[in-house]
Amino acid sequence: RKKLLHSRNLDSFSPIAFILAGPTAMLTRLKSLAFASLRRRIEAYYCLEGLDEEERKAYIEQQLAVAGGKHPIFPPDILTMIFEHSKGVPSTITRLCTNCLLDALSKKK
Protein backbone atom coordinates (compact mmCIF):
# COMPACT_ATOMS: atom_id res chain seq x y z
CA ARG A 1 0.00 0.00 0.00
CA LYS A 2 1.42 3.35 -1.05
CA LYS A 3 0.85 6.55 0.85
CA LEU A 4 1.45 10.14 -0.10
CA LEU A 5 2.69 12.37 2.67
CA HIS A 6 2.07 16.04 2.24
CA SER A 7 2.55 19.12 4.34
CA ARG A 8 2.34 22.68 3.12
CA ASN A 9 4.56 24.00 5.90
CA LEU A 10 7.35 21.74 7.03
CA ASP A 11 8.70 24.58 9.13
CA SER A 12 8.40 28.35 9.17
CA PHE A 13 11.47 28.83 6.95
CA SER A 14 10.85 26.37 4.14
CA PRO A 15 7.23 26.06 3.10
CA ILE A 16 6.62 23.51 0.39
CA ALA A 17 3.95 23.34 -2.27
CA PHE A 18 3.09 20.68 -4.81
CA ILE A 19 1.78 21.38 -8.26
CA LEU A 20 -0.08 18.59 -9.99
CA ALA A 21 -0.25 18.91 -13.74
CA GLY A 22 -1.88 16.53 -16.16
CA PRO A 23 -4.67 15.95 -18.63
CA THR A 24 -8.26 16.76 -17.74
CA ALA A 25 -8.83 13.05 -17.11
CA MET A 26 -6.69 13.47 -13.99
CA LEU A 27 -9.42 15.66 -12.49
CA THR A 28 -11.95 12.88 -12.97
CA ARG A 29 -9.64 10.48 -11.22
CA LEU A 30 -9.06 12.89 -8.32
CA LYS A 31 -12.82 13.02 -7.77
CA SER A 32 -12.89 9.31 -6.93
CA LEU A 33 -13.18 8.21 -3.31
CA ALA A 34 -9.66 6.76 -3.36
CA PHE A 35 -8.21 10.28 -3.69
CA ALA A 36 -10.49 12.05 -1.18
CA SER A 37 -7.63 12.75 1.23
CA LEU A 38 -5.48 14.30 -1.48
CA ARG A 39 -8.42 16.25 -2.94
CA ARG A 40 -9.06 17.93 0.44
CA ARG A 41 -5.52 19.32 0.34
CA ILE A 42 -5.84 20.88 -3.11
CA GLU A 43 -6.45 24.58 -2.73
CA ALA A 44 -6.87 25.63 -6.36
CA TYR A 45 -7.74 24.10 -9.70
CA TYR A 46 -7.00 25.62 -13.06
CA CYS A 47 -7.66 24.21 -16.51
CA LEU A 48 -5.84 25.68 -19.49
CA GLU A 49 -7.94 26.39 -22.55
CA GLY A 50 -6.75 25.44 -26.01
CA LEU A 51 -5.23 28.03 -28.32
CA ASP A 52 -7.65 30.12 -30.35
CA GLU A 53 -7.45 30.20 -34.16
CA GLU A 54 -4.97 33.10 -34.34
CA GLU A 55 -2.76 31.52 -31.67
CA ARG A 56 -2.88 28.17 -33.49
CA LYS A 57 -1.79 29.79 -36.73
CA ALA A 58 1.03 31.69 -34.99
CA TYR A 59 2.09 28.48 -33.21
CA ILE A 60 2.36 26.55 -36.49
CA GLU A 61 4.22 29.40 -38.20
CA GLN A 62 6.66 29.65 -35.28
CA GLN A 63 7.29 25.89 -35.22
CA LEU A 64 7.89 25.86 -38.99
CA ALA A 65 10.28 28.84 -38.68
CA VAL A 66 12.25 27.05 -35.95
CA ALA A 67 12.51 24.03 -38.28
CA GLY A 68 13.82 26.23 -41.08
CA GLY A 69 10.60 26.74 -43.04
CA LYS A 70 10.60 29.93 -45.06
CA HIS A 71 7.04 30.04 -46.39
CA PRO A 72 3.60 28.65 -45.49
CA ILE A 73 3.51 24.89 -46.08
CA PHE A 74 -0.07 23.97 -45.25
CA PRO A 75 -2.95 25.05 -47.49
CA PRO A 76 -5.88 26.77 -45.72
CA ASP A 77 -8.16 23.70 -45.89
CA ILE A 78 -5.53 21.55 -44.15
CA LEU A 79 -5.01 24.24 -41.48
CA THR A 80 -8.77 24.26 -40.88
CA MET A 81 -8.78 20.49 -40.36
CA ILE A 82 -5.77 20.72 -38.02
CA PHE A 83 -7.53 23.46 -36.03
CA GLU A 84 -10.74 21.44 -35.76
CA HIS A 85 -9.09 18.17 -34.72
CA SER A 86 -6.53 19.64 -32.32
CA LYS A 87 -9.00 21.63 -30.21
CA GLY A 88 -6.13 24.07 -29.72
CA VAL A 89 -3.84 21.70 -27.82
CA PRO A 90 -0.26 22.50 -28.90
CA SER A 91 1.04 18.92 -28.63
CA THR A 92 -1.85 17.70 -30.79
CA ILE A 93 -1.21 20.47 -33.33
CA THR A 94 2.44 19.42 -33.51
CA ARG A 95 1.52 15.74 -33.92
CA LEU A 96 -1.02 16.45 -36.67
CA CYS A 97 1.39 18.73 -38.56
CA THR A 98 4.19 16.17 -38.27
CA ASN A 99 1.90 13.43 -39.56
CA CYS A 100 0.85 15.63 -42.51
CA LEU A 101 4.48 16.33 -43.37
CA LEU A 102 5.46 12.65 -43.10
CA ASP A 103 2.51 11.65 -45.26
CA ALA A 104 3.47 14.21 -47.91
CA LEU A 105 7.08 13.03 -47.78
CA SER A 106 6.06 9.41 -48.24
CA LYS A 107 4.01 10.44 -51.29
CA LYS A 108 6.81 12.78 -52.45
CA LYS A 109 4.49 15.83 -52.61
Side-chain angles (χ1 to χ4, degrees):
R1 189 173 196 194
K2 295 179 183 177
K3 292 190 178 202
L4 173 66
L5 301 176
H6 172 266
S7 175
R8 286 182 294 178
N9 295 307
L10 295 176
D11 60 40
S12 61
F13 299 108
S14 59
I16 189 168
F18 294 98
I19 297 175
L20 298 174
T24 53
M26 184 174 77
L27 249 135
T28 304
R29 189 165 217 182
L30 283 172
K31 289 178 183 177
S32 71
L33 188 59
F35 292 100
S37 178
L38 176 61
R39 193 175 57 250
R40 284 191 297 272
R41 290 172 175 82
I42 296 174
E43 294 183 19
Y45 292 91
Y46 186 78
C47 291
L48 295 174
E49 299 293 324
L51 304 176
D52 65 32
E53 190 167 341
E54 285 301 312
E55 292 170 324
R56 294 173 202 179
K57 187 175 180 185
Y59 177 78
I60 291 172
E61 289 171 357
Q62 187 268 342
Q63 292 295 320
L64 289 170
V66 168
K70 301 207 185 321
H71 54 81
I73 293 176
F74 299 108
D77 60 324
I78 298 299
L79 284 176
T80 300
M81 289 192 315
I82 289 170
F83 296 162
E84 289 172 358
H85 292 296
S86 69
K87 295 183 173 62
V89 178
S91 60
T92 305
I93 293 170
T94 300
R95 184 176 44 80
L96 290 170
C97 289
T98 300
N99 288 345
C100 288
L101 293 170
L102 290 172
D103 185 57
L105 178 65
S106 71
K107 294 176 181 175
K108 303 219 188 268
K109 289 186 175 184

